[in-house]
Amino acid sequence: MNQIDKAPSATAAADDLVFYGEAVSSRMLLGTALYPSPQIMSDAVKASGCGIVTVSLRRESARGKVGERFLELITALGVHVLPNTAGCRTAKEAIATAQMARELFDTPWIKLEVIANDDTLQPDLFGLVEAAEALNKDGFKVFPYTTEDLGAAERLVASGCDVLMPWGAPIGSGRGLANPYALKTMRNYFPGIPLVVDAGIGAPSHAARAMEMGYDAVLLNTAVARAADPIAMAIAFAAAIDAGRLAYRSGLMIERDMAAPSTPVAGTPFFDLGAPPKS
Amino acid sequence: MQATTAKTTTQEIEITLNGTSLRTSCLTLAQLIEDQDLSGVRVATAINEEFVPATTRADRRLAAGDRIEIVSARQGG
């Protein structure tokens, strides 16, 4: 991390990431679910240095103790809260959930999920666009969980979304970037919109790759929460995301099909003897 | 389900609370929240998939067959 901070040219210029007018300190967004304990979750968030965590709403019982305890833990972290509409199957459910989240967490930010399929947890793009249109009109700052589909993305942007969050791979699968070609196309098509790869990230190398492609940030959860050591893994992801971002800003070399010697050819000893005869 | 306060009547209706059917004599959403020991707890509410703001819970009368959601903060990805 220190070496990255000290790297010269690419870090000299400001490299702010802004979501809906708010500058965020880190390019990592971290989920708060599936950790071995609340304390480990809290420690992993702190270790990652992330400035935004995702949260949800669930049915309350037990006299409200579960929700209150979690809310206190999250508030103590002092980070931006991005509530989700996970599990919603229709635009109507997602809209009501977003409205409940806005009141409960006191934020207009919403990670909008409308789920189409149980096996893939693929976004329902029709419901997503419908819900985004309604929520944007209602003053929400929508972070839509979507696919690489450019048509749907254009509709989301036209409805007022200033951030897009395409999936890397199905939620919880850890498969990385399933369709890097489409993600690259999307990045090129929306040069001015903050793009976050959300879901499917399993290893720091996946996150680094997304960042090297020019994605603005990465949202992940399971890969950290289910690691043998979630706190160390949070640090590993933060380093990979920083490295990927720096690499993108530094200008990656162009791939070649053929080898090209890096050591100068001129002056190679014995060069005049040529290649040895093939026997 | 006990009628716990003077605000309630003996007339019970059947509702669905967080996916479970419930007979209640509560007249309003605010009364139901109190009846569920959730007063003073940060929850959000919806009836029949429509958000009900906290400020309107006292005025929101319950009707037979209402599907009520009372939710609170949780972990999420």
Side-chain angles (χ1 to χ4, degrees):
Chain A
M1 297 277 276
N2 285 338
Q3 283 173 332
I4 291 169
D5 289 342
K6 283 174 196 158
S9 58
T11 52
D15 186 29
D16 293 335
L17 174 59
V18 176
F19 291 136
Y20 291 102
E22 291 208 43
V24 290
S25 54
S26 160
R27 291 173 181 274
M28 181 167 170
L29 290 76
L30 192 56
T32 55
L34 301 173
Y35 292 83
S37 73
Q39 186 61 49
I40 291 174
M41 182 276 285
S42 180
D43 290 346
V45 170
K46 287 177 196 159
S48 75
C50 81
I52 301 173
V53 296
T54 52
V55 296
S56 76
L57 292 177
R58 286 296 178 259
R59 287 170 166 171
E60 184 54 281
S61 54
R63 298 178 180 180
K65 282 180 188 158
V66 180
E68 284 296 303
R69 244 183 258 132
F70 179 71
L71 209 47
E72 280 165 23
L73 191 65
I74 289 297
T75 306
L77 288 170
V79 292
H80 276 288
V81 170
L82 177 59
N84 69 30
T85 63
C88 289
R89 307 296 172 127
T90 65
K92 190 176 186 189
E93 288 175 11
I95 291 165
T97 302
Q99 289 167 326
M100 290 194 284
R102 177 166 63 179
E103 182 182 87
L104 196 73
F105 293 106
D106 193 25
T107 175
W109 284 15
I110 190 75
K111 173 180 162 178
L112 183 60
E113 293 182 49
V114 184
I115 297 301
N117 181 279
D118 281 343
D119 278 7
T120 61
L121 297 178
Q122 176 162 0
D124 171 7
L125 299 178
F126 307 98
L128 182 67
V129 168
E130 183 187 342
E133 284 171 349
L135 292 172
N136 280 316
K137 274 184 199 145
D138 191 18
F140 280 89
K141 311 291 188 196
V142 178
F143 294 63
Y145 169 60
T146 187
T147 68
E148 318 88 335
D149 186 294
L150 294 187
E154 279 189 308
R155 293 280 299 272
L156 291 167
V157 170
S159 78
C161 294
D162 275 349
V163 181
L164 296 171
M165 303 208 298
W167 63 350
I171 295 170
S173 70
R175 297 180 66 87
L177 309 183
N179 193 344
Y181 163 72
L183 287 172
K184 206 174 283 184
T185 304
M186 190 176 202
R187 174 70 284 179
N188 292 337
Y189 195 79
F190 293 104
I193 302 276
L195 298 181
V196 181
V197 170
D198 175 9
I201 299 293
S205 56
H206 301 154
R209 190 172 184 208
M211 298 306 293
E212 287 167 4
M213 287 165 59
Y215 274 77
D216 293 284
V218 170
L219 197 169
L220 71 149
N221 186 347
T222 312
V224 168
R226 289 292 200 224
D229 183 343
I231 297 160
M233 189 60 84
I235 296 167
F237 268 101
I241 289 166
D242 281 349
R245 178 66 185 174
L246 188 59
Y248 169 70
R249 299 187 74 217
S250 307
L252 289 154
M253 67 168 279
I254 307 296
E255 272 186 36
R256 297 169 56 100
D257 288 336
M258 304 289 288
S262 45
T263 304
V265 175
T268 305
F270 319 116
F271 185 73
D272 52 305
L273 297 181
K278 307 267 191 303
S279 55
Chain B
M1 184 80 203
Q2 296 168 345
T4 53
T5 71
K7 287 176 284 184
T8 59
T9 71
T10 52
Q11 184 75 43
E12 287 195 343
I13 55 169
E14 181 149 342
I15 59 166
T16 303
L17 173 59
N18 288 347
T20 305
S21 63
L22 176 72
R23 292 196 69 80
T24 182
S25 51
C26 295
L27 296 175
T28 66
L29 182 56
Q31 284 177 24
L32 181 67
I33 287 169
E34 193 183 333
D35 197 56
Q36 293 292 312
D37 267 340
L38 292 170
S39 308
V41 173
R42 284 169 287 186
V43 294
T45 50
I47 297 183
N48 304 330
E49 293 84 55
E50 301 273 1
F51 171 57
V52 180
T55 50
T56 66
R57 286 176 198 155
D59 299 326
R60 180 58 189 256
R61 295 183 72 82
L62 303 183
D66 275 348
R67 296 182 307 280
I68 297 161
E69 299 284 343
I70 301 178
V71 299
S72 67
R74 284 294 187 289
Q75 301 85 344

